[in-house]
Amino acid sequence: MMPKKIVVVGSTNVDKVLNVEKYALPGETLAIDSYQQSHGGGKGANQAIAAVRSGADTTFITKLGRDEDAEMMLKGFQQDHMNVDHVIMTDQSQTGKAYITVDQSGQNSIYVYGGANMALSPDDVIAHREALAKADRVIAQLEIPIPAIIAAFKIAKENGVQTILNPAPAKEIPEELLHLTDIITPNETEAQTLTGLEVKDEVSMLDNALKFFAQGIKMVIITVGDKGSFYATPESHAFIPAFKVKAVDTTAAGDTFIGALASQLELDNSNIREAMLYANHASSLTVQVAGAQNSIPDQAAINAEIQKN
Ligand code: RIB
C-alpha cells in the first residue's frame, strides 16, 4: 500500500492531567494522589500523530504561541517525523491547553483553553493552500474556528482531495461545512447533536447516516466508545465490535481511531472493514496507557496486536 498523504488542520494542546478517585461536587475540595504536567495533546495533533505513526506521510497545519509549550510540542512532532513546515506561530496568544481529569475507570472530563488554536484564520489556511492541494485527504476537527475549516475544505474540494470531518467537541455546524465533507466521524453524542436523532442501536445509527447522506456526505463512521464503530455508505453498512480491554485512560482513543483509519483507508474506501478493524485495534492500545500522544501506538504495535487476535 502506498503511504497516504494526509494533511491535518487542527488544534494543538498541552494536556495537564489530574488523576482523581471521584469528581468533586460544587463547593467540595478533594485531595488527589497524582497529576501529570504538560503532555502533548489536542485533537488535531493527536490525529496527526496517530496517522504518522501508522505510516502516513503527514503534514500538520496548526497555530502555536511563541512559548515553551510550543517548543515542546514542535520537538515531539519532529521526533515523529511529521512535516511541520506549515505550523504557524503567533505572538498574540498562548499555545492551547487542556485541563483533564481521569477517574479510576479511565473515563475523562476535559476543559480546553483554545488560545492560539482559536486564532487560526481562513487566511492562515489559504497561505498553506499548496500543502492542502497536494494531499490525498484532509482531516479537521472542531477545536479550531469553523471558517478556517471551511477554507481548508474548499481548497481540498477544488483539488479533488478527500475531506474528513471529526465533529468533536460536539457543536452545531453550518450546512456549508457539511456540504464540503466527504466522510464524517462523530461519536454517538456528536452524531445526536448534528442530526437530532438518538444513537442507541444499529438501526438508529443508520437513520443518523441517512440524515448525513442528505447533506451530501458520502460516508458516515460513528464511534461508540468501548462497544465499537459503525460505518455506512449509501451502498453498505456494518458495525465492527471493539476488543475488550482494561481501560486505564480513554484520552485520545477517538483521535487514534481517526488517524489510524485515515492512514489505512484506500481512497475508494474499498477496504473500509479492514481499515476499521485496524483503527479499533489502534484505539484499544491507546486506552491501555495513560496520556494522549504518549499512548498512541505505531504501526508495528498495531500489527502485532492484530496478529494476537
Ligand atoms: O481528544 C483528546 C484531546 O482533547 C486531548 O488531548 C485534549 O487536548 C483535548 O483537545
Side-chain angles (χ1 to χ4, degrees):
M1 177 195 283
M2 284 286 287
K4 299 287 169 298
K5 269 196 190 157
I6 294 179
V7 176
V8 178
V9 185
S11 57
T12 299
N13 292 329
V14 166
D15 289 354
K16 316 223 176 232
V17 183
L18 303 181
N19 300 99
V20 301
E21 242 172 68
K22 62 172 191 139
Y23 290 104
L25 297 171
E28 189 181 20
T29 303
L30 291 175
I32 55 164
D33 288 335
S34 66
Y35 66 91
Q36 303 147 43
Q37 279 287 2
S38 306
H39 279 303
K43 295 186 193 304
N46 297 344
Q47 292 175 22
I49 286 193
V52 79
R53 289 188 187 159
S54 273
D57 172 352
T58 308
T59 296
F60 189 27
I61 300 179
T62 192
K63 199 164 201 174
L64 308 176
R66 271 184 217 285
D67 47 32
E68 277 179 20
D69 283 346
E71 280 169 32
M72 179 190 87
M73 297 302 298
L74 264 175
K75 213 161 140 195
F77 298 159
Q78 282 159 338
Q79 274 165 4
D80 268 304
H81 305 291
M82 200 189 286
N83 178 349
V84 293
D85 295 349
H86 304 278
V87 171
I88 304 159
M89 311 295 290
T90 176
D91 291 316
Q92 309 302 315
S93 345
Q94 290 176 21
T95 300
K97 293 172 203 356
Y99 297 86
I100 304 180
T101 49
V102 180
D103 71 13
Q104 288 184 321
S105 70
Q107 292 304 319
N108 61 40
S109 303
I110 306 183
Y111 297 90
V112 173
Y113 166 72
N117 296 311
M118 293 314 289
L120 188 74
S121 67
D123 284 347
D124 286 331
V125 170
I126 291 164
H128 297 272
R129 161 184 291 279
E130 214 186 302
L132 290 157
K134 283 195 306 208
D136 289 323
R137 51 175 56 112
V138 171
I139 310 175
Q141 322 70 32
L142 302 182
E143 283 186 333
I144 55 171
I146 285 175
I149 305 174
I150 291 178
F153 279 16
K154 274 190 182 159
I155 297 168
K157 298 309 298 171
E158 281 160 20
N159 290 278
V161 174
Q162 189 183 65
T163 55
I164 302 183
L165 181 66
N166 172 225
K171 60 172 83 149
E172 283 184 15
I173 48 185
E175 277 189 13
E176 184 184 10
L177 179 54
L178 291 174
H179 293 333
L180 292 164
T181 300
D182 293 319
I183 302 179
I184 196 160
T185 61
N187 66 17
E188 64 269 54
T189 31
E190 292 149 5
Q192 191 174 336
T193 301
L194 295 173
T195 63
L197 300 177
E198 208 185 330
V199 173
K200 39 185 196 321
D201 50 24
E202 224 176 298
V203 174
S204 58
M205 289 183 212
L206 194 56
D207 289 342
N208 268 267
L210 293 175
K211 281 233 173 182
F212 286 119
F213 295 154
Q215 304 276 358
I217 288 172
K218 301 184 183 74
M219 182 188 281
V220 178
I221 296 176
I222 303 178
T223 53
V224 199
D226 60 1
K227 294 189 186 60
S229 46
F230 169 85
Y231 88 88
T233 65
E235 291 78 38
S236 67
H237 62 93
F239 187 81
I240 319 280
F243 305 94
K244 291 280 163 254
V245 292
K246 178 154 177 17
V248 172
D249 179 358
T250 56
T251 310
D255 299 331
T256 301
F257 180 92
I258 290 156
L261 179 92
S263 74
Q264 302 301 304
L265 186 63
E266 292 298 355
L267 290 170
D268 62 3
N269 302 331
S270 53
N271 64 338
I272 179 67
R273 284 168 191 255
E274 292 88 332
M276 282 178 66
L277 262 179
Y278 180 93
N280 273 357
H281 274 110
S283 48
S284 75
L285 287 170
T286 294
V287 302
Q288 294 177 68
V289 180
Q293 283 160 27
N294 50 310
S295 69
I296 297 174
D298 64 14
Q299 193 161 28
I302 300 165
N303 284 335
E305 192 66 14
I306 292 172
Q307 294 303 316
K308 273 202 255 162
N309 287 281

